[in-house]
Amino acid sequence: MSVQEPVDTDKPAVETAAAMVISPAAAVRGRALRQLWRNPLGMVGAVLLLIVIVAGVCAPLLAPYGPADVHFATVFQKPGTVGFLLGSDDLGRDILSRVLYGTRASLEVGVLAVLCAVAIGVPMGLLAGYWRWLDAVLSRLTDVLLAFPFVMIAVGLTAIYGGGLTQAAIALGIAQVPVMMRVVRAETLRLKETDFVLAARSMHVGSWRILGGHILPNAAAPIIVQATVIMPTAVLGEALLSFLGLGIRPPVPSLGIMLSDAQQYLLRTAWPGVFPGVALLLICLGFNLFGDALRDALDPKTSR
């Protein structure tokens, strides 16, 4: 006679049902990678970003001179001159070396600005989207910040706290907090009504655990896409602040400082201003192309 296994009647039926509800985050990753690989513009953007990142990270190895090394005997050299591949500026400084180091500074500012926007905007968006009473307070605060132009906020913060790479990055990151907060808030409002979150609530899972273990991982896709939008905005913002004398201070190289120095010599030679402008173009174009492709890959509607 076979002995029947005892049935565990203590286990709630809702727990079994909740285990069958699969979070969509894992299924999205594989499809997004395939979709991204098939996007030619996305691959162009990825290649541009790879070139820019390698140039910035390996600037000390690739630059033939130091970014502040002056050569008064070889001022305003044309591109292709022996020893000065991209020419030299009014002080004889090598433009290639300064562009490489300026690209590195731009990437550092962009990364720090993204980290600042994520560190502040993501928690605010989660709280505002999950608890309605906090939404009334945080949304009004972001409305006040959005009433001011992005550039005005960044310029005001750098004018108060002084210039420098770190100060410029923090100012640019804070200026992007309202946008990041609204993106995360909208995603939280959508996710908190999905089946796997409702199942977790029925099992009396705590709110903080739901936010950190269910909503935040599934909101990672729009956060990443928004980060690719913030990066080129921060790079251009840093160039603008440095151009106005409110960002990175000399002798630290910056693409904005190079453009500011080159404007007074445009009638004599345009090369000192052309190459930093091209570097800014490649950085922003790479992030924009890759960000658009990433957004399409992570969006189920457009990927179909």
Side-chain angles (χ1 to χ4, degrees):
M1 180 182 295
S2 61
V3 180
Q4 185 177 4
E5 294 291 335
V7 178
D8 186 6
T9 57
D10 295 335
K11 185 176 181 179
V14 67
E15 184 176 349
T16 305
M20 299 175 62
V21 180
I22 302 176
S23 173
V28 167
R29 295 190 189 99
R31 173 182 52 78
L33 290 175
R34 292 191 298 270
Q35 184 73 15
L36 186 62
W37 182 258
R38 298 191 189 106
N39 193 318
L41 291 179
M43 289 297 97
V44 172
V47 171
L48 289 177
L49 287 183
L50 180 61
I51 294 173
V52 168
I53 292 173
V54 170
V57 172
C58 300
L61 301 176
L62 299 176
Y65 304 99
D69 294 348
V70 297
H71 307 86
F72 294 111
T74 54
V75 298
F76 292 123
Q77 295 296 311
K78 295 181 179 180
T81 304
V82 177
F84 298 94
L85 183 61
L86 299 183
S88 61
D89 61 6
D90 58 307
L91 297 178
R93 295 172 296 188
D94 182 50
I95 295 177
L96 174 60
S97 301
R98 292 179 61 78
V99 167
L100 290 174
Y101 278 94
T103 300
R104 184 177 188 175
S106 296
L107 293 177
E108 290 177 355
V109 170
V111 171
L112 290 176
V114 169
L115 293 177
C116 181
V118 170
I120 301 176
V122 170
M124 289 177 62
L126 291 173
L127 296 176
Y130 197 80
W131 286 291
R132 301 298 296 176
W133 64 274
L134 275 176
D135 187 18
V137 177
L138 296 177
S139 294
R140 299 298 78 77
L141 177 62
T142 55
D143 289 342
V144 173
L145 293 176
L146 288 173
F148 298 93
F150 159 75
V151 175
M152 183 180 295
I153 297 176
V155 170
L157 290 174
T158 52
I160 294 173
Y161 295 105
L165 190 148
T166 304
Q167 289 84 348
I170 294 175
L172 294 168
I174 292 176
Q176 290 294 328
V177 165
V179 180
M180 177 63 76
M181 181 265 185
R182 288 203 163 189
V183 170
V184 179
R185 172 185 173 273
E187 196 66 13
T188 303
L189 288 172
R190 182 185 69 84
L191 289 172
K192 75 175 185 178
E193 302 299 332
T194 53
D195 293 338
F196 59 92
V197 173
L198 294 177
R201 283 181 180 174
S202 65
M203 296 168 59
H204 304 289
V205 178
S207 298
W208 293 106
R209 187 175 176 183
I210 291 176
L211 284 173
H214 296 280
I215 293 180
L216 181 59
N218 288 283
I223 293 174
I224 294 173
V225 172
Q226 187 60 34
T228 62
V229 176
I230 294 177
M231 277 290 294
T233 305
V235 169
L236 287 177
E238 180 275 322
L240 175 60
L241 293 177
S242 299
F243 185 88
L244 297 175
L246 298 174
I248 298 176
R249 301 292 177 84
V252 179
S254 167
L255 299 178
I257 293 176
M258 294 182 67
L259 291 173
S260 178
D261 294 340
Q263 65 174 339
Q264 53 187 328
Y265 303 106
L266 287 178
L267 296 180
R268 180 170 181 177
T269 177
W271 299 116
V274 169
F275 292 113
V278 171
L280 284 173
L281 173 64
L282 294 179
I283 294 173
C284 297
L285 181 62
F287 276 109
N288 286 331
L289 291 178
F290 185 75
D292 288 343
L294 190 62
R295 179 199 60 201
D296 295 340
L298 294 174
D299 189 350
K301 298 179 181 179
T302 56
S303 63
R304 283 198 298 266

